[in-house]
Amino acid sequence: MTIGDVARTAGVSVATVSKVINARYGVAAATSRRVQDVIDELGYESSLVARSLRSHRTNVIGILVAEFEPFSTELLKGISEAVADTGYELLAYSAGGRAGREVGWEQRSLSRLGGTLIDGAILVTPTVVDPHEGIPVVAVDPHTGPSGPPTVDSDNLAGARTATEYLLGLGHTRIGLLGGRPDLESARLREEGYRQALAAAGIAVDPDLVRVGGYKPDVADQPAHELLTLPEPPTAVFAANDISAIRTIEVAQELGLRVPEDLSVIGFDNVPESALCVPPLTTIAQPIRQMGAEALRMLVDLVAGVEREPHLRLPTALVERESCRRLDPVAPGS
Amino acid sequence: MTIGDVARTAGVSVATVSKVINARYGVAAATSRRVQDVIDELGYESSLVARSLRSHRTNVIGILVAEFEPFSTELLKGISEAVADTGYELLAYSAGGRAGREVGWEQRSLSRLGGTLIDGAILVTPTVVDPHEGIPVVAVDPHTGPSGPPTVDSDNLAGARTATEYLLGLGHTRIGLLGGRPDLESARLREEGYRQALAAAGIAVDPDLVRVGGYKPDVADQPAHELLTLPEPPTAVFAANDISAIRTIEVAQELGLRVPEDLSVIGFDNVPESALCVPPLTTIAQPIRQMGAEALRMLVDLVAGVEREPHLRLPTALVERESCRRLDPVAPGS
DNA sequence: CTGTTAGCGCTTTCAC
DNA sequence: GTGAAAGCGCTAACAG
């Protein structure tokens, strides 16, 4: 079913059908109606692909992700809510599982779709972003600094400091850090916040207590295990994201440790999964859905050529649940 | 940056570049290497759009949704996990906010993308599905019966019966039903399960207690309010999905009712949001991620031409949290 | 007002 | 082994 079928059925040329579809001037009312009737009758819808190849305006916004995991899907919900009245449609593209390992998925996806299919793109946690893209781009939680494309992120530094101070306030001094993807600026800032809070409390960072996690359950597995089987293990762990925090809790439990009695764990992100975990995870909340909504608004403005402040940073907040506990004032035997 | 640019830089024709990209025979090793070098150097990626228009095989699976809400995004997570080793990429398409109201978004999206962009599609809670599509289609939680395309769903009837029996077991007899989208078979089955459980307990259904909710918070608002302000209100409500269950709890709280002390509420789906609600929602779990994974596997087989049982029904299970409570044996004053 | 024509970027015969 | 040419479904000049 193509525009040609419609044209033939209506007894006009494809050009005329195209004009009717796109509400261009220069079509007689009678012709227009007849064509419209045929379109309705046949249930014809123009191919987004063919149209985009030619016209370079599609009314579709792309969301480019490495994978559909809790963070990106949460963002998607926020974007979806915000898109409602804009007239845009949404196309979320994941370069398949391979992308997790393969760097440069952002550029690849952008090249594959950017030329024609989408009018603008939201890049979710991209590592590298070529500043001179063909289409407007907004990056959420990117690696880039203030240069590069417009960005939306949250206050990772303050959030990490809050997390660490919270643990400190609970009497913990041996606090482990399970870091995030090293290629992400947010992960770097979270580690920095951890170090700042410790320094402010006059506690030296024990290098043994600092591990690189990642952002996937299986990647967090080994470093979490190492951390918890140390000769002098931490009494609390700050994991740089909820997924690795949840995995840390599971590893602790496999090791016979009770959370929070024997080990306190705090995460970062506040993805819905953090509430489903047993015990429910105490974490630093990012306003993920709001970040998505803001990224979309920013991008829509960009596509429309509206000037905007190019960087938006949203606040984080502590969400207390049940995975952290005050350290007993005197450890038995000490 | 097009294939033409690569061809010019490498000093060959576009046809040759195309052959190199697609690993076709008939290219000299030296030429192939030279072209490959240019591709790498320029960072060229072929346009999915242009390629798909011509070749009709893209290695991309489409997931067509009305909206990115908790159910569809949960499904997306399951699909994303399952796609990892298949070599397919994922393209989730939402017809924008308008779709919620507009019926037929499934057909429209399918027509727009199906011709060329995607090799197969997973339709999420579609209402109408034209059986003779151009590409393989799997429907998740569809309206259709056993005819129509292959489907994946959960045992809605048994789940609804379980939910109602659970409330009955807690001593409730005035149990309200906040139904789901009337155009969904799953909603019909959930109501049916409710009726069956009540009948089995020898309780007549009070028509006042049966309301049509929908699947969006604001749609559930009014019927929930009506239900709770009845002269003789229910002591428990079975909402046909978590989103309207959560909204019911909020409405109850606005009305000064405590949940679960004054009102028990049970949902259906077990989306992550149900655990975040206050109090955490007792609900009937569908294995949503697994449903997504199975739908993907089914579709991949379909695309590959493998024969399969066309309908898969997964079991549901009660998840007890804190929104339901045993009814006091004797109501005060009665 | 309407139809013819020329591409968009790519793949695919089919000559050379 | 390589390139010229046709065409996927559509839109955008331009003639008629």
Side-chain angles (χ1 to χ4, degrees):
Chain A
M1 157 102 340
T2 74
I3 196 174
D5 299 326
V6 176
R8 203 172 316 112
T9 309
V12 295
S13 74
V14 291
T16 302
V17 177
S18 176
K19 281 173 194 154
V20 171
I21 291 169
N22 298 292
R24 295 271 176 283
Y25 293 110
V27 180
T31 312
S32 181
R33 182 168 18 262
R34 182 155 42 91
V35 171
Q36 193 58 61
D37 286 348
V38 172
I39 288 174
D40 293 344
E41 190 185 335
L42 263 46
Y44 167 78
E45 280 290 343
S46 73
S47 157
L48 180 59
V49 170
R51 170 195 292 241
S52 82
L53 191 56
R54 194 68 176 99
S55 75
H56 291 197
R57 185 81 210 277
T58 57
N59 260 279
V60 177
I61 295 285
I63 300 121
L64 275 33
V65 306
E67 210 175 330
F68 293 110
E69 28 68 34
F71 182 81
S72 59
T73 49
E74 204 58 22
L75 215 53
L76 223 39
K77 294 177 197 170
I79 296 171
S80 189
E81 268 168 46
V83 86
D85 316 303
T86 63
Y88 281 101
E89 311 195 332
L90 256 27
L91 161 6
Y93 184 76
S94 154
R98 300 168 296 187
R101 295 147 233 164
E102 182 191 323
V103 292
W105 60 266
E106 316 81 346
Q107 292 305 329
R108 176 162 183 277
S109 296
L110 214 39
S111 300
R112 279 169 70 80
L113 307 184
T116 43
L117 234 207
I118 55 182
D119 293 342
I122 295 175
L123 262 41
V124 182
T125 61
T127 300
V128 301
V129 183
D130 190 342
H132 41 68
E133 285 310 324
I135 55 169
V137 163
V138 170
V140 176
D141 190 17
H143 176 62
T144 56
S147 71
T151 60
V152 175
D153 65 7
S154 72
D155 195 341
N156 289 291
L157 184 64
R161 234 192 282 117
T162 301
T164 314
E165 285 162 1
Y166 173 72
L167 258 15
L168 253 10
L170 253 25
H172 296 274
T173 52
R174 276 193 74 70
I175 301 175
L177 174 74
L178 191 58
R181 266 171 59 188
D183 59 342
L184 245 32
E185 173 73 356
S186 58
R188 203 189 59 68
L189 286 167
R190 290 173 199 178
E191 176 168 342
E192 176 65 17
Y194 162 85
R195 289 180 185 276
Q196 283 186 8
L198 248 34
I203 297 176
V205 173
D206 180 345
D208 267 1
L209 258 33
V210 177
R211 306 277 163 158
V212 172
Y215 67 113
K216 302 189 67 166
D218 48 332
V219 176
D221 216 327
Q222 203 204 328
H225 196 275
E226 288 170 8
L227 216 42
L228 300 182
T229 53
L230 242 28
E232 207 183 335
T235 62
V237 171
F238 169 34
N241 63 67
D242 285 348
I243 299 302
S244 52
I246 291 169
R247 192 65 199 124
T248 300
I249 290 178
E250 289 166 357
V251 168
Q253 287 166 346
E254 285 162 17
L255 252 25
L257 260 31
R258 291 163 307 165
V259 175
E261 288 78 1
D262 303 322
L263 179 75
S264 289
V265 177
I266 188 168
F268 204 112
D269 278 354
N270 195 33
V271 293
E273 277 74 1
S274 64
L276 283 162
C277 151
V278 182
L281 185 70
T282 292
T283 190
I284 301 295
Q286 297 193 74
I288 310 182
R289 293 160 84 130
Q290 195 190 338
M291 288 165 72
E294 292 295 350
L296 180 88
R297 282 192 266 275
M298 206 179 248
L299 184 57
V300 167
D301 280 350
L302 239 43
V303 173
V306 178
E307 286 289 331
R308 291 234 352 195
E309 186 64 42
H311 300 292
L312 183 64
R313 173 155 296 164
L314 267 20
T316 55
L318 174 69
V319 176
E320 270 191 272
R321 286 197 276 254
E322 295 163 32
S323 63
C324 294
R325 175 180 188 264
R326 177 166 295 282
L327 192 62
D328 291 330
V330 181
S334 73
Chain B
M1 158 101 340
T2 73
I3 196 174
D5 299 326
V6 175
R8 204 171 315 111
T9 309
V12 296
S13 74
V14 291
T16 302
V17 177
S18 176
K19 280 172 195 154
V20 171
I21 291 170
N22 298 293
R24 293 274 176 279
Y25 294 110
V27 181
T31 312
S32 181
R33 182 167 17 262
R34 181 154 42 90
V35 170
Q36 193 58 59
D37 284 349
V38 171
I39 289 174
D40 292 344
E41 190 185 335
L42 264 46
Y44 167 78
E45 279 291 343
S46 72
S47 158
L48 180 60
V49 170
R51 169 197 294 245
S52 82
L53 191 55
R54 196 70 176 93
S55 73
H56 290 196
R57 185 80 209 277
T58 58
N59 260 277
V60 177
I61 295 284
I63 300 120
L64 276 32
V65 306
E67 210 175 330
F68 293 110
E69 27 68 31
F71 181 82
S72 57
T73 50
E74 205 57 22
L75 215 53
L76 223 39
K77 294 177 196 170
I79 296 170
S80 188
E81 267 168 46
V83 86
D85 316 303
T86 63
Y88 281 101
E89 311 195 334
L90 257 24
L91 160 6
Y93 185 76
S94 155
R98 299 169 296 188
R101 297 145 231 163
E102 180 191 325
V103 292
W105 59 267
E106 316 81 346
Q107 291 305 328
R108 176 163 183 278
S109 296
L110 215 39
S111 301
R112 280 170 69 80
L113 307 184
T116 43
L117 234 206
I118 54 182
D119 293 342
I122 295 175
L123 263 39
V124 182
T125 61
T127 299
V128 301
V129 183
D130 190 342
H132 41 70
E133 285 310 324
I135 54 170
V137 163
V138 171
V140 176
D141 190 17
H143 177 61
T144 56
S147 70
T151 59
V152 175
D153 64 8
S154 73
D155 195 341
N156 290 290
L157 184 65
R161 234 191 283 117
T162 302
T164 313
E165 284 163 1
Y166 174 71
L167 259 14
L168 252 9
L170 253 25
H172 295 274
T173 52
R174 278 194 72 71
I175 301 175
L177 174 75
L178 192 58
R181 266 171 58 186
D183 59 344
L184 244 32
E185 174 72 356
S186 58
R188 202 189 60 67
L189 286 167
R190 290 173 199 178
E191 176 169 342
E192 176 65 18
Y194 161 85
R195 290 180 185 276
Q196 284 187 8
L198 249 33
I203 296 176
V205 173
D206 180 345
D208 266 1
L209 256 32
V210 177
R211 305 278 164 159
V212 173
Y215 66 115
K216 303 189 67 168
D218 48 333
V219 177
D221 216 326
Q222 203 203 327
H225 196 274
E226 289 170 9
L227 217 41
L228 300 181
T229 53
L230 241 30
E232 207 182 336
T235 62
V237 171
F238 168 35
N241 64 65
D242 285 349
I243 299 301
S244 52
I246 291 169
R247 191 67 199 122
T248 300
I249 290 179
E250 289 167 355
V251 168
Q253 287 166 345
E254 285 162 17
L255 251 28
L257 261 31
R258 291 163 308 165
V259 175
E261 288 80 359
D262 303 322
L263 179 74
S264 289
V265 177
I266 189 168
F268 204 113
D269 278 353
N270 195 32
V271 293
E273 277 74 2
S274 64
L276 284 162
C277 151
V278 182
L281 185 70
T282 292
T283 189
I284 301 295
Q286 297 193 74
I288 309 182
R289 293 161 84 130
Q290 196 190 338
M291 289 165 71
E294 292 295 348
L296 180 88
R297 283 192 264 274
M298 205 178 250
L299 184 57
V300 167
D301 280 351
L302 239 44
V303 172
V306 178
E307 285 288 332
R308 289 226 4 185
E309 185 64 40
H311 299 292
L312 182 63
R313 172 155 298 165
L314 268 19
T316 55
L318 174 68
V319 176
E320 271 191 271
R321 286 197 277 252
E322 296 164 30
S323 63
C324 293
R325 175 180 188 265
R326 177 166 295 282
L327 192 63
D328 291 332
V330 181
S334 75

